[in-house]
């Protein structure tokens, strides 16, 4: 990290964040003060930082963002998901009147705004930066988060329906920022599905900086999805940090469709024997969109497994960055780590940077990775056209098929359909649905 | 229906077709046979409009259209269908979806009403019965995980659904066991009609036992060196191609002069 050597970052951007922090209701909490000090000392990361080499934050730094007020009148168009618990956040604030959270035995749901009022000790405990994470956006989130949710599944609790967290922006004409914090505690042998969905509208530039942390106890199973569909002017930054105990399994899906600039960091620690993480992702950048995903999977103990399947599509002047780091610790024998990054470059002005990174400190492992950047298969294109489909339709169909490999694995049918529709619009053709 | 005149085609710097002339009328079945590397597949690919082939000279007219000026999809909509030698696997593109989109594009072009999902399903189920294909096929990706025989059957199924005016079968018999060959041949025969023409490109006589051609042409070295009726295929089966390609053999351009 070279951040400390970049004092220029302590600029207007940091000063503006300072003002936001001073107005924050929780600014007296030590955990927030420490986090803000860390952020303001380091500032925004620059491209000299290896982790940010391909992602320039200048445009983000140049802009001023206000914080949303609780209760801003706004009735978002919510896609109701059948049989789901649904929590709605507008401009970063939880809106109970738009949400549907029935009481379920074994499941405890607490909003962070509630904790800010009632139990700052507990709040401080869950806000502690996980694993001393060095990412400056995590520090910023910790300092400035106004709301979010603590999800606790007790031992043996098995949720049949997914928990959907919906994030919207009100139709404010000025730029807003939100720093939602999601904390998932999955007890022993519990099983739950959490879906975060970020939906933008209009053209106002907003800034979302979300952090999700998940602790999976022995035998716990968490399926987690993050569907990022912000408007194409906005900034979206996020972290998923997960720690897995023995026999715990994490299945994560990341879908990046929206935003002008989106950066996701996925950091998974396989801390228990026979723990397993499956990380799937799809990034689609068109226009001048920039999508960056950094994965870091740490195999800390023997007999752990990780499987990463990421796909990227860059069209027009879109840019995709993928960095997949797998770190196998010295004692982590019998590690099984598989990584695949497949990318589709649809125009000569688009750019894709994909980089697998394996650090392996013992000999008794099974690790494989593959990265490809290619174009649509000419044989397949000809095949479809020779059956009567026009070229644009054939291209859209093949692009969609490429993306659908990831979308088809999402857990909820409505979600798959919604993304398929969104995909069709993005893939440049209106495809009628298959019979 | 199809008129190929003195067609010369290069792939890169290499001359593959060196003056092909062929007339095909509605209702006819032609077999194009020949040794490996003679240009058989090039001919069918050029007819279907695949890129990568350079037309040096000559013309192809199809029902009054300059075929070479049409894109692959325009050719398909005008009624050209190529059953490919190596059907490509397209994971994630549903078989039914492709067929419905293709059929409706063709119907639209012909001024017919598009089929809705229900009408289409009953049509495809009927055709699948003909090709003895399992219904599980419906929801699979195009050719995804299909065996060689299943792929070829799928090609003929597509042909049966799209009902082309001109069907090109490129080595459709290769890789088929005898049962699959019978099913495929049955599918092709069911499509024989007065309005439709079929060109079969094949290496072996075997397919012709099941689909009787009206004309047989021998393609060698990029030219049609002999044309005849179905007895020519039998002769080739017995004597091979050597007697035709050896020096001293007089090239006969029956195909161009034929008035049958």
């Amino acid at each position: 990290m070279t951040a400390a050597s970049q004092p220029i970052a302590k600029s207007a951007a940091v000063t503006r964040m300072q003002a936001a922090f001073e107005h924050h209701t929780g600014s007296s909490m030590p955990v927030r003060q420490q986090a803000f000090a860390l952020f303001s000392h380091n500032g925004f990361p620059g491209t000299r930082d290896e982790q940010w080499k391909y992602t320039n934050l200048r445009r983000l730094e140049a802009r001023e963002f206000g914080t949303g007020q609780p209760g801003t009148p706004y009735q978002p168009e919510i896609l109701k998901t059948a049989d789901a618990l649904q929590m709605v956040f507008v401009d970063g604030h939880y809106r109970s009147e738009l949400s549907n959270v029935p009481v379920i035995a074994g499941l405890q749901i607490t909003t962070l705004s509630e904790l800010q009022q009632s139990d700052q000790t507990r709040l401080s405990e869950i806000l502690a930066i996980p694993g001393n994470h060095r990412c400056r956006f995590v520090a910023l989130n910790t300092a400035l988060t106004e709301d979010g949710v603590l999800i606790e599944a007790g031992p043996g609790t098995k949720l049949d329906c997914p928990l959907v967290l919906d994030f919207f922006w009100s139709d404010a004409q000025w730029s807003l920022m939100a720093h939602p914090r999601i904390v998932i505690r999955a007890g022993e042998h519990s099983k739950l599905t959490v879906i975060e969905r970020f939906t933008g509208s209009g053209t106002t530039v907003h800034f979302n900086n979300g952090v999700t942390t998940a602790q999976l106890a022995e035998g716990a199973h968490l399926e987690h999805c993050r569907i990022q569909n912000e408007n194409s002017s906005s900034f979206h930054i996020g972290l998923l940090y997960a720690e897995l105990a023995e026999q715990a399994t994490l299945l994560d899906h990341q879908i990046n469709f929206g935003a002008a600039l989106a950066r996701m960091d996925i950091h998974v620690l396989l801390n228990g024997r026979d723990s397993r993480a499956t990380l799937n992702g799809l990034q689609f950048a068109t226009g001048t969109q920039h999508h960056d995903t950094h994965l870091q999977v740490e195999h800390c103990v023997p007999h752990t497994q990780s499987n990463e399947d990421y796909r990227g599509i860059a069209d027009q002047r879109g840019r995709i960055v993928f960095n997949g780091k797998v770190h196998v610790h010295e004692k982590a024998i019998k590690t099984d780590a598989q990584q695949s990054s497949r990318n589709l470059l649809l125009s000569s002005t688009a750019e894709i940077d994909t980089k697998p990174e394996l650090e392996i400190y013992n000999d008794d492992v099974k690790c494989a990775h593959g990265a490809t950047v290619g174009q649509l298969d000419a044989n397949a294109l000809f095949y479809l056209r020779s059956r009567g489909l026009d070229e644009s339709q054939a291209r859209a169909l093949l692009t969609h098929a490429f993306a659908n490999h990831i979308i088809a694995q999402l857990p909820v049918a409505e979600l798959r359909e919604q993304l398929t529709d969104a995909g069709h619009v993005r893939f440049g053709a209106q495809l009628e649905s298959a019979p | 229906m199809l008129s190929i005149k003195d067609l010369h085609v290069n792939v890169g710097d290499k001359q593959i077709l060196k003056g092909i002339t062929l007339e095909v009328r509605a209702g006819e079945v032609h077999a194009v046979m020949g040794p490996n590397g003679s240009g058989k597949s090039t001919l069918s690919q050029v007819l279907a409009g695949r890129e990568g082939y350079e037309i040096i000279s000559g013309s192809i007219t199809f029902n009054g259209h300059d075929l070479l000026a049409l894109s692959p999809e325009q050719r398909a909509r005008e009624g050209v269908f190529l059953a490919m030698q190596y059907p490509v696997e397209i994971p994630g593109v549903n078989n039914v979806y492709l067929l419905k989109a293709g059929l409706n594009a063709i119907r639209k072009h012909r001024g017919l009403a598009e089929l809705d999902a229900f009408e289409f399903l009953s049509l495809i189920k009927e055709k699948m019965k003909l090709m003895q294909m399992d219904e599980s096929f419906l929801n699979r990706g195009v050719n995804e995980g299909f065996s060689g025989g299943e792929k070829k059957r799928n090609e003929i199924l597509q042909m049966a659904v799209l009902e082309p005016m001109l069907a090109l079968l490129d080595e459709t018999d290769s890789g088929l066991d005898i049962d699959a060959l019978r099913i495929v041949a049955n599918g092709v025969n069911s499509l024989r009609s007065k309005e439709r023409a079929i060109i079969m490109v094949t290496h072996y006589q075997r397919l012709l036992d099941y689909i009787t051609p009206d004309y047989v042409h021998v393609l060698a070295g990029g030219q049609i060196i002999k044309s005849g009726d179905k007895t020519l295929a039998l002769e080739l089966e017995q004597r091979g191609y050597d007697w035709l390609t050896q020096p001293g053999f007089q090239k006969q351009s029956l195909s161009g002069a034929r008035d049958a």
Side-chain angles (χ1 to χ4, degrees), chain A residues 21-263:
Chain A
F21 180 63
E22 280 161 10
H23 283 93
H24 194 284
T25 43
S27 59
S28 63
M29 290 168 68
V31 64
R32 292 188 189 265
Q33 287 179 351
Q34 283 157 19
F36 194 79
L38 184 69
F39 169 76
S40 79
H41 177 73
N42 292 319
F44 285 97
T47 51
R48 277 184 292 171
D49 181 335
E50 181 66 23
Q51 295 298 305
W52 293 86
K53 187 174 165 187
Y54 296 108
T55 298
N56 194 320
L57 297 170
R58 207 174 48 236
R59 283 182 300 159
L60 170 63
E61 284 184 67
R63 194 168 272 276
E64 188 163 359
F65 297 97
T67 45
Q69 297 307 308
T72 304
Y74 181 60
Q75 190 73 36
E77 221 178 273
I78 301 169
L79 180 84
K80 288 290 179 193
T81 305
D83 302 324
L85 282 80
Q86 205 156 2
M87 298 183 78
V88 175
F89 294 79
V90 177
D91 300 340
H93 297 276
Y94 177 59
R95 298 285 285 270
S96 58
E97 79 280 14
L98 302 173
S99 304
N100 171 36
V101 188
V103 174
I104 292 180
L107 183 73
Q108 183 83 32
I109 289 177
T110 319
T111 63
L112 266 59
S113 48
E114 254 176 276
L115 286 175
Q116 181 73 50
Q117 299 295 322
S118 64
D119 192 348
Q120 290 195 10
T121 313
R122 187 81 211 278
L123 182 61
S124 299
E125 183 239 320
I126 64 166
L127 281 184
I129 296 179
N132 286 321
H133 218 277
R134 288 177 306 174
C135 177
R136 281 155 272 185
F137 286 103
V138 179
L140 190 63
N141 172 285
T142 302
L144 293 181
T145 184
E146 309 226 31
D147 217 338
V149 61
L150 167 63
I151 302 162
E152 295 168 291
T157 301
K158 293 196 178 2
L159 274 189
D160 297 326
C161 56
L163 175 55
V164 180
L165 309 176
D166 261 320
F167 297 87
F168 296 96
W169 299 100
S170 63
D171 41 14
Q173 296 301 301
W174 54 92
S175 291
L176 296 172
M177 63 179 170
H179 305 267
R181 185 72 164 254
I182 315 300
V183 180
I184 303 168
R185 301 261 163 99
E188 287 175 14
H189 302 287
S190 62
K191 186 169 183 285
L192 73 163
T193 300
V194 177
I195 296 164
E196 296 177 45
R197 192 161 53 175
F198 298 85
T199 309
S201 60
T203 53
T204 309
V205 181
H206 295 305
F207 170 35
N208 187 86
N209 173 34
V211 171
T212 300
T213 62
Q215 282 178 357
L216 280 68
E218 188 181 326
H221 175 80
L222 171 66
E223 182 160 8
H224 175 260
C225 310
R226 197 163 199 285
I227 317 288
Q228 187 275 105
N229 211 355
E230 303 271 15
N231 75 35
S232 57
S233 314
S234 288
F235 297 93
H236 189 97
I237 290 188
L239 169 81
L240 169 68
Y241 176 89
E243 292 180 356
L244 278 68
E246 264 179 47
Q247 293 180 341
T249 51
L250 169 69
L251 173 53
D252 180 56
H253 314 264
Q254 299 279 337
I255 309 288
N256 266 323
F257 269 3
L261 185 157
R263 161 69 179 243

Side-chain angles (χ1 to χ4, degrees), chain B residues 55-73:
Chain B
I55 313 299
I56 304 299
S57 63
S59 66
I60 305 177
T61 313
F62 175 69
N63 285 340
H65 296 280
D66 173 8
L67 194 71
L68 294 171
L70 301 181
S71 67
E73 57 268 36

